[in-house]
Amino acid sequence: MRRRQNIPLTLPLVPPPATPADSLIPAASDPADLEREAALARLFELHYASMLRLAVLLGADDPENVVAEAYYQIYRKWRRLRDTKAAEAYLRSTVCNLTRMRIRHLQVARRHVENPPEEVVASAESTALLHDDQRVLIDALQQLPARQREALVLRHWLGLKESEIAAAMGISSGSVKTHTSRGIAALSQAMEARQ
């Protein structure tokens, strides 16, 4: 009879199971991706509230979704930005464009609805961001054509220069002047009529 030899078996090394905290930590990736993540986090911390306010003032019915979509778009196109310092301007322009597209979409959708809503109720975000003394002005501002409203908000609420407004709206500086002056005239007339 043969004797069995006690040969120790070696098992392949298996990593320990991941803990929930480990699964939240992203795997090491490309340094460019890490830099993009950090830059976008800083951009979010610095400008989220002002972009949300911009979307509300431009008349977005869902400003949080508009701003979230703008951040997603800048995340996707980060590598194609010529200058990362221009990210704020790109973000502002994207919020303006998305708000404009959303308003246009809602106008078309409302035309095709058989029973249009009687009254549009302001969102909780809109209500929280506005003080009582600003509501009359905002109501008058909402009555302006979209381009005039955009020009006035970018100029007087954000304090942008004409060249920055032109870049954000995708129009010439002369058109910015025209929309701003017409918007101020219409806003003044509307405010005088309410008094």
Side-chain angles (χ1 to χ4, degrees):
M1 218 163 121
R2 280 187 136 172
R3 286 182 117 191
R4 255 186 177 177
Q5 294 179 352
N6 287 335
I7 301 173
L9 295 174
T10 58
L11 298 174
L13 293 178
V14 178
T19 62
D22 291 340
S23 64
L24 297 176
I25 300 171
S29 62
D30 184 23
D33 286 341
L34 295 175
E35 182 181 327
R36 173 177 65 168
E37 298 286 335
L40 284 168
R42 281 192 307 272
L43 189 68
F44 185 84
E45 289 173 14
L46 293 173
H47 301 291
Y48 178 78
S50 65
M51 293 302 146
L52 184 63
R53 199 171 307 116
L54 174 63
V56 168
L57 290 171
L58 292 178
D61 66 328
D62 55 350
E64 287 183 334
N65 288 338
V66 168
V67 175
E69 177 67 22
Y71 274 99
Y72 171 70
Q73 286 189 16
I74 198 168
Y75 176 80
R76 283 184 33 231
K77 297 177 182 178
W78 187 262
R79 288 188 178 108
R80 288 184 274 176
L81 282 177
R82 282 182 247 134
D83 181 14
T84 56
K85 294 178 183 174
E88 179 189 358
Y90 178 81
L91 188 62
R92 187 181 315 112
S93 177
T94 304
V95 168
C96 289
N97 290 336
L98 289 172
T99 301
R100 192 179 315 123
M101 287 175 8
R102 178 72 180 152
I103 290 171
R104 232 182 270 137
H105 170 76
L106 289 175
Q107 288 172 344
V108 170
R110 286 181 184 140
R111 273 189 235 135
H112 297 296
V113 173
E114 290 183 24
N115 298 325
E118 302 259 337
E119 182 180 327
V120 177
V121 179
S123 68
E125 295 87 12
S126 300
T127 306
L129 289 172
L130 300 176
H131 299 290
D132 289 333
D133 57 341
Q134 294 174 331
R135 292 184 201 283
V136 173
L137 178 62
I138 298 301
D139 289 341
L141 187 65
Q142 295 301 323
Q143 302 305 315
L144 296 177
R147 290 293 192 166
Q148 291 176 12
R149 181 174 56 244
E150 285 179 40
L152 288 176
V153 167
L154 292 172
R155 175 70 180 115
H156 296 287
W157 268 274
L158 294 181
L160 299 181
K161 300 174 189 170
E162 286 176 6
S163 59
E164 294 171 325
I165 296 169
M169 293 177 66
I171 58 177
S172 69
S173 293
S175 295
V176 170
K177 291 178 186 178
T178 302
H179 288 306
T180 304
S181 66
R182 288 181 182 169
I184 289 175
L187 192 60
S188 298
Q189 189 177 24
M191 293 300 288
E192 288 173 6
R194 289 181 182 219
Q195 289 179 358

